[in-house]
């Protein structure tokens, strides 16, 4: 039996229930704040208050194809190609020094052949004119352009300005043709009025692979 004079003993102490730590409380609060901010951003985006997203740049080292234009072949355009000019000029058929006299030269031959006693009267031919001048007889046209004679240039000149006789002097260039012979040009280097039967014309003759007709 207990002693009534002694005070009753204290009931046993039980540990207090453990509550949430301060760190956990801060973490929970931050999560709530972040969620609220996210909702606010979504509402702002739907209401049209947010700015448009920035353009995304391509990764470094990656090149994007250039935009096609209407003139590019891939886009169905015609474009303009190189090398669409005129064809190449006629090639040289023969070139060399000649002495032109009254007997003339056959331009259809390669090399051109001078006339002789049995083949007299080829054209072009040389003849005197007046007291000191020399002429070239046949279908001829004097080249007066500053540039060097060309096959097509001589052909065009002969078609529009040819004569049956052209007076020449040293340094002149004369475009020549005879019926269906190749186009030719004679660069006069000397005129010899007192030589030959009716004078002589010396020069450098060039014939081209270009016909005067056809």
């Amino acid at each position: 039996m207990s002693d009534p004079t002694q005070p009753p003993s204290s009931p046993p102490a039980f540990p207090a229930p453990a509550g949430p730590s301060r760190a956990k409380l801060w973490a929970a609060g931050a999560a709530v704040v972040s969620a609220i901010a996210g909702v606010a951003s979504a509402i702002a985006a739907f209401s049209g208050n947010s700015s448009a997203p920035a353009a995304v740049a391509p990764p470094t080292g990656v090149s994007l194809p250039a935009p096609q234009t209407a003139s590019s072949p891939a886009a169905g355009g015609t474009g303009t190609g190189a090398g669409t000019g005129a064809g190449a000029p006629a090639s040289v058929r023969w070139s060399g020094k000649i002495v032109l006299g009254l007997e003339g030269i056959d331009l259809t031959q390669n090399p051109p052949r001078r006339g002789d006693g049995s083949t007299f009267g080829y054209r072009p031919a040389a003849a005197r004119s007046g007291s000191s001048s020399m002429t070239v007889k046949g279908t001829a046209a004097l080249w007066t352009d500053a540039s060097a004679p060309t096959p097509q240039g001589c052909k065009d000149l002969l078609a529009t300005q040819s004569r049956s006789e052209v007076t020449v002097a040293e340094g002149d260039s004369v475009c020549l043709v005879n019926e269906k012979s190749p186009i030719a040009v004679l660069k006069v280097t000397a005129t010899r009025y007192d030589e030959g039967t009716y004078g002589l014309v010396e020069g450098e003759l060039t014939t081209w692979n270009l016909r005067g007709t056809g």
Side-chain angles (χ1 to χ4, degrees):
M1 179 177 293
S2 62
D3 188 353
T5 62
Q6 295 294 328
S9 60
S10 313
F14 294 96
S21 64
R22 181 174 299 179
K24 292 181 178 180
L25 290 176
W26 277 107
V32 173
V33 172
S34 178
I36 294 174
V39 173
S41 298
I43 294 174
F46 279 109
S47 63
N49 293 329
S50 61
S51 58
V56 179
T60 304
V62 177
S63 59
L64 298 178
Q68 296 176 350
T69 62
S71 61
S72 64
T78 58
T80 302
T84 57
S91 59
V92 173
R93 175 183 170 92
W94 184 88
S95 183
K97 295 181 179 180
I98 66 162
V99 177
L100 189 63
L102 185 62
E103 69 277 6
I105 288 183
D106 183 4
L107 295 177
T108 64
Q109 302 296 316
N110 191 22
R113 185 177 66 185
R114 289 184 62 182
D116 53 29
S118 61
T119 56
F120 192 85
Y122 284 132
R123 294 289 184 270
R128 294 174 183 154
S129 175
S131 60
S132 60
S133 299
M134 292 297 301
T135 65
V136 172
K137 294 179 176 292
T139 306
L142 193 64
W143 182 270
T144 58
D145 196 271
S147 60
T150 63
Q152 188 62 48
C154 269
K155 182 176 181 178
D156 294 342
L157 188 66
L158 288 165
T160 56
Q161 301 182 35
S162 64
R163 302 287 184 271
S164 60
E165 184 176 11
V166 176
T167 301
V168 296
E170 183 178 337
D172 286 343
S173 292
V174 188
C175 297
L176 304 167
V177 71
N178 184 37
E179 296 181 350
K180 294 184 179 181
S181 76
I183 299 293
V185 64
L186 176 66
K187 174 73 173 180
V188 178
T189 57
T191 58
R192 306 193 181 280
Y193 184 86
D194 295 325
E195 297 184 19
T197 305
Y198 288 96
L200 300 174
V201 174
E202 294 183 7
E204 297 176 357
L205 179 69
T206 299
T207 61
W208 290 294
N209 287 310
L210 179 66
R211 297 285 176 176
T213 59

